[in-house]
Amino acid sequence: MRVLLIVLCLLLPGLVTAADGLFSSPAQRDFLPVEQAFELSVTPLPGDALELHWRIAPGYYLYQNRLRFDGLPSEQIPPLPAGLDHHDEFFGDTQIYRDSLTLTVPAGSARELQLGWQGCADAGLCYSPQSRTLPLPGATAVADDQALAQGLATQALVWSLLGFFGLGLLLAFTPCSLPMLPILAGIVVGNGASPRRALLLASTYVVSMALVYAALGVLAALFGANLQALLQQPWLLASFASLFVALALPMFGFFELQLPAALRDRLANAGSRQTGGNLVGASVLGLLSGLLIGPCMTAPLAAALLFIAQSGNVMQGALVLFTLGLGIGTPLLLLVTLGKRFLPRPGAWMDRVKGLFGFIFLAGALLVARPLLADWLWLGLWGAWLVILASALLHIAGQLQRHSLPCRATGVLLGLWGMLMLLGAAGGADDPWQPLAPYATGTTSAHAASDSALTLTEPAQLDRELAAAKAQGQWVLIDYYADWCVSCKVMDKQVFAKPEVQASLAGVRVLRPDVTRSDANSQALLQRYQVLGPPTLLWIGPDGQERRSGRITGEVNAQQFIERWNNVRERG
């Protein structure tokens, strides 16, 4: 009996343990932690690929349909191998992986991967979904125009239209849009239109401008023509500038613009109920504005053209460009319609406003003719414009009974500044904010950077310079330029003339393809790197390949230029 008790004491702990395992619930059993049940290892592979390997513990499995690869474009998602057929209470009939799973993520443009997975144990425990953020090696960064073009290709049309409308709102406040304001204000405010009529006139103007904007973009993408150069021909710019002058002179009372009597009578009868401007005139002026603004190359415009050229989706590209044009015109439309509510009732002040619009039209002529004029001449004309405007303000101040002092003070200040600009132009100045710079000692030439660049007009020259730079292991900056490109000249003064920019370009070979002329050489230079127009800046690495993510399209300031160059150089 004593021996039996000793045997029972020895066997009792084992029997208790066995009974506990037999009658306990699955939740009470010992399961592996999730990181041990599904052990993930990540290994970089040659060519910037990434290997994902799960070691799956015995008695555990991964669901195929619970694998997630958020953040990857479709072409970069790894193909999934066939799994084992399985049925469970959680997801029904599905496929699973046991023992191990290995996937390879190819190189691409994504910067990081949001990886997700979920698995279960045969004993009945299902783990919660797991996730992990993985940085991807060698992620291919993209330039601004490429990023926007990719957005067009992947986003729903409505989001693309909204996005480009917002970009148009921002572009409305750039120098490219300045010639629009005097035209739109002149046809609406200058004609004393009613609020409803003003809205109709302004809407006609903006829609006409947007239609031209879309048409020019589609034609440029489909036919590859350098429409920038075509629309910046001297005779065309001179015609537009002359038109602005012709519109300004009647504002000063030199003459009245009138159609032939017979045509004028017919139009008067047809539009006898219309006041405050003519819809046909608003439409024509909108078309002219579209021709003036269309050549301004910006990242949004380049992105839309790049998308059209790559996808062939002309309809979507046209809609996007049309929406971009509407965005550009919307702030001006609001200014000339809602802004009219703050104007006093009609009276003698309207004659003064009419004269003011005359000056605005002359300013528009100077803006349009900018590519045709030497820098010193353009500065001198602005100085003369300011002096004449100051004289008009002083004359008006003499007629005012109240508030004459602010008008007189403004006239004196503008007159003094205009005379300084005239004096500076006589000395060869080209900066309206520093008109007396040529007379100061120790000043740096604004063209120091452009003088150090090698100007190219033929593709063979570009190829020779690129080959020489590659042989020497040298970085190359390619700066596409044209005489008619106003933004190019602005960047010469405000970017390349800065000492910090020149210092950052030490050891860099700067090449400047000149595409001023619309000929075969200019077309070949543009097509060499699929450039849509100036200003466009490209970085070529020591290996002779472009660093496409660093491409700059449109005007930037010195800080933005240096930051882009530093990023390109760090990535190699």
Side-chain angles (χ1 to χ4, degrees):
M1 187 66 178
R2 182 179 298 176
V3 174
L4 180 61
L5 290 175
I6 294 174
V7 172
L8 288 175
C9 290
L10 293 175
L11 294 178
L12 184 60
L15 293 174
V16 172
T17 303
D20 181 71
L22 180 63
F23 297 104
S24 64
S25 65
Q28 295 173 310
R29 300 174 188 173
D30 292 333
F31 290 98
L32 293 174
V34 64
E35 62 272 9
Q36 295 181 14
F38 314 102
E39 184 178 348
L40 172 64
S41 61
V42 181
T43 306
L45 298 178
D48 292 333
L50 199 67
E51 181 183 82
L52 308 176
H53 178 76
W54 284 270
R55 187 185 65 81
I56 305 173
Y60 296 81
Y61 56 88
L62 277 179
Y63 290 106
Q64 183 189 68
N65 60 358
R66 303 297 291 177
L67 291 169
R68 295 289 182 266
F69 304 92
D70 297 332
L72 294 184
S74 58
E75 66 273 8
Q76 204 175 348
I77 295 178
L80 300 179
L84 303 174
D85 292 332
H86 180 75
H87 178 83
D88 63 23
E89 59 179 311
F90 299 103
F91 299 107
D93 294 327
T94 183
Q95 288 197 325
I96 62 173
Y97 300 110
R98 292 185 180 274
D99 300 327
S100 66
L101 172 64
T102 301
L103 301 175
T104 300
V105 179
S109 60
R111 295 178 179 271
E112 64 180 20
L113 164 62
Q114 298 289 337
L115 182 63
W117 67 93
Q118 186 176 12
C120 292
D122 289 331
L125 175 66
C126 192
Y127 292 90
S128 62
Q130 305 297 306
S131 63
R132 183 172 170 183
T133 301
L134 302 176
L136 297 180
T140 304
V142 295
D144 296 338
D145 57 334
Q146 289 178 311
L148 291 171
Q150 291 177 4
L152 279 177
T154 58
Q155 291 180 354
L157 178 59
V158 62
W159 293 113
S160 297
L161 296 180
L162 289 175
F164 273 77
F165 180 81
L167 291 171
L169 293 176
L170 297 177
L171 293 178
F173 300 98
T174 63
C176 278
S177 302
L178 289 179
M180 293 177 60
L181 181 57
I183 306 176
L184 186 55
I187 63 175
V188 176
V189 181
N191 285 291
S194 63
R196 180 178 298 180
R197 187 66 178 172
L199 178 61
L200 184 59
L201 286 169
S203 300
T204 301
Y205 174 93
V206 171
V207 170
S208 300
M209 183 275 299
L211 287 173
V212 173
Y213 207 82
L216 290 178
V218 172
L219 289 176
L222 290 180
F223 301 106
N226 186 9
L227 292 181
Q228 275 191 295
L230 293 177
L231 293 174
Q232 295 286 346
Q233 293 296 322
W235 67 269
L236 187 58
L237 291 177
S239 300
F240 286 145
S242 299
L243 174 63
F244 281 174
V245 174
L247 292 172
L249 293 179
M251 300 292 178
F252 299 123
F254 283 93
F255 60 87
E256 293 292 334
L257 284 176
Q258 293 185 354
L259 296 172
L263 180 59
R264 185 174 68 250
D265 292 341
R266 294 186 61 181
L267 290 176
N269 293 332
S272 58
R273 296 182 180 180
Q274 298 181 3
T275 59
N278 184 273
L279 294 178
V280 176
S283 178
V284 171
L285 290 175
L287 295 176
L288 293 176
S289 294
L291 292 174
L292 289 172
I293 297 169
C296 295
M297 184 55 61
T298 58
L301 176 59
L305 300 183
L306 181 62
F307 167 76
I308 299 172
Q310 292 178 346
S311 68
N313 194 333
V314 179
M315 180 58 67
Q316 183 173 349
L319 287 174
V320 167
L321 288 170
F322 178 76
T323 307
L324 183 71
L326 291 181
I328 294 175
T330 297
L332 301 178
L333 186 150
L334 296 176
L335 177 64
V336 299
T337 53
L338 299 181
K340 285 174 58 64
R341 298 184 178 182
F342 300 97
L343 297 178
R345 294 182 178 181
W349 66 271
M350 294 189 65
D351 292 331
R352 302 189 183 102
V353 171
K354 185 177 180 181
L356 176 61
F357 281 123
F359 283 102
I360 295 177
F361 277 118
L362 290 179
L366 287 176
L367 291 172
V368 172
R370 176 67 181 91
L372 306 177
L373 305 174
D375 292 337
W376 65 268
L377 179 57
W378 193 65
L379 181 66
L381 290 175
W382 274 113
W385 182 85
L386 283 176
V387 170
I388 298 174
L389 176 60
S391 301
L393 290 176
L394 293 175
H395 177 72
I396 294 174
Q399 298 177 341
L400 294 177
Q401 297 179 353
R402 295 183 302 172
H403 309 299
S404 62
L405 182 59
C407 185
R408 192 182 305 276
T410 302
V412 170
L413 291 176
L414 293 180
L416 290 175
W417 194 257
M419 288 188 286
L420 291 176
M421 292 173 67
L422 286 172
L423 181 61
D430 54 13
D431 188 351
W433 303 110
Q434 297 179 348
L436 300 183
Y439 303 102
T441 58
T443 56
T444 303
S445 172
H447 299 286
S450 60
D451 290 344
S452 64
L454 179 61
T455 301
L456 311 172
T457 56
E458 297 179 0
Q461 294 176 294
L462 178 60
D463 293 336
R464 286 196 300 268
E465 292 297 324
L466 290 175
K470 182 178 180 180
Q472 299 176 15
Q474 188 178 20
W475 279 93
V476 177
L477 170 63
I478 301 180
D479 176 17
Y480 280 87
Y481 172 87
D483 289 341
W484 41 259
C485 174
V486 176
S487 294
C488 298
K489 298 180 178 180
V490 171
M491 290 184 64
D492 260 355
K493 300 174 184 177
Q494 300 182 2
V495 177
F496 295 114
K498 298 290 185 181
E500 59 270 26
V501 173
Q502 297 178 23
S504 71
L505 292 176
V508 177
R509 184 173 300 208
V510 182
L511 306 179
R512 175 164 285 187
D514 190 337
V515 294
T516 300
R517 300 178 60 183
S518 181
D519 56 15
N521 284 331
S522 293
Q523 289 296 316
L525 288 171
L526 290 169
Q527 293 174 3
R528 177 69 166 79
Y529 289 102
Q530 301 300 311
V531 172
L532 299 172
T536 301
L537 289 81
L538 286 65
W539 296 102
I540 309 298
D543 57 355
Q545 301 297 317
E546 181 193 359
R547 303 305 190 256
R548 184 63 174 84
S549 62
R551 180 178 293 197
I552 299 174
T553 303
E555 187 177 326
V556 295
N557 58 36
Q559 181 180 358
Q560 292 170 331
F561 176 86
I562 293 176
E563 290 177 353
R564 185 69 61 90
W565 166 221
N566 289 337
N567 291 335
V568 171
R569 184 165 46 188
E570 290 173 1
R571 287 196 296 264

